[in-house]
Amino acid sequence: DFMRVWLSTPFVEVMPEKAGEFSAEATENLKWLVARAKQLGIRLKFTFENFRRIAPERKDRDPAKGVVSFTRPVYLPYAKTMREFFTSEECFRLYVARARHIAAAVGNSPALVAVEFWNEINSAGSLDVLAPWTDRMMPELQRLFPRQMVVQNLGSFSSPESGAHYDWLAGIRGNAFLQSHRYLDLGGQLDVVRGPVDVFCADAIRELRDRRADLPVFLSEVGAVEPNHTGPSRFYALDKAGALLHDEIFAPFFAGSAGCGQPWHWDHQYIDGNGLWYHFGRFAKAVKGLNPAAERFRPFHT
């Protein structure tokens, strides 16, 4: 009963072509989506932005050398680089204006329960610019979305350097809950992400709870990839029974997460393609009637 929506998706991108100008069609699509979610009893988390580059990628660039697929040329009049974006007063104002437009359209709906600044914001810049931008933006979003939880978001916890980023995440004032991304990645630097899925899921929750035991925690992206995130895992085609998915859903909750794990490859590449949606029904049946907060569940490790 929970769904994450990237607002950069063309169907709901309210500022598609020119900074500060909003699409009536996309706004109506967004209202429809939220109304439909309310009708179905689904709760939504909105991811406001995800880009890692301002200018569009050159068409002649060799994909084998790495293509930055998340771009936002709408900001080109005001910034040429991500550092310029995060330090620009005009870009800050435009981000807030877009958020204000979204809040006016759907902010009063009980279906919308959380908003997050960015997808994997550490992929868009370094902490020396991300930290002050986040600290400044937090009260703006809290003011615009008083009924929602406001959260920040980081990339996959798969390297020793990730620890410092998650230390920062845990210390952000006003962050409503902690969330981690983690994938089965045979190119990952940490041993745990090259091993059993249930173990790395439980370990991700432990990493978050070790940093802030007073906040709810989630594994808000989980899946399996080719080495170093070069594509969806080749194991997906073999996993007709959903062994990977089962552990991604169940293990985080029983390790102390405030919900099941949230798999990334939901479409034809894995869950939908292999017809594995029934695993969510099994999880719902397993936890039916449980109130972990009321029962004061406490995870432990042995």
Side-chain angles (χ1 to χ4, degrees), residues 245-256:
L245 179 64
H246 171 88
D247 287 354
E248 293 168 5
I249 292 174
F250 278 81
F253 177 78
F254 289 102

Side-chain angles (χ1 to χ4, degrees), residues 63-85:
K65 297 179 181 178
V67 174
V68 181
S69 57
F70 302 146
T71 64
R72 198 77 160 101
V74 70
Y75 286 111
L76 270 176
Y78 312 102
K80 300 296 187 291
T81 67
M82 293 307 301
R83 176 168 288 272
E84 289 180 6
F85 173 87

Side-chain angles (χ1 to χ4, degrees), residues 52-102:
R52 301 174 182 180
R53 178 186 170 100
I54 304 293
E57 193 71 19
R58 296 198 315 271
K59 292 182 179 180
D60 61 345
R61 183 167 176 175
D62 181 2
K65 297 179 181 178
V67 174
V68 181
S69 57
F70 302 146
T71 64
R72 198 77 160 101
V74 70
Y75 286 111
L76 270 176
Y78 312 102
K80 300 296 187 291
T81 67
M82 293 307 301
R83 176 168 288 272
E84 289 180 6
F85 173 87
F86 286 114
T87 56
S88 163
E89 286 295 319
E90 186 63 16
C91 290
F92 186 91
R93 185 190 68 79
L94 289 167
Y95 185 103
V96 172
R98 179 172 174 267
R100 183 183 300 113
H101 181 85
I102 294 164

Side-chain angles (χ1 to χ4, degrees), residues 202 205-206 209-210 251 253-256 296-302:
I205 300 304
R206 179 195 59 76
R209 287 184 54 84
D210 282 353
F253 177 78
F254 289 102
R296 302 185 65 80
F297 283 0
R298 295 290 181 272
F300 67 93
H301 300 269
T302 181

Side-chain angles (χ1 to χ4, degrees), residues 48 61 83 100 104 152-153 176 224 247 261 265 268 280 301:
F48 280 173
R61 183 167 176 175
R83 176 168 288 272
R100 183 183 300 113
Q152 188 54 286
N153 174 307
D247 287 354
H265 296 104
H268 64 281
F280 292 95
H301 300 269

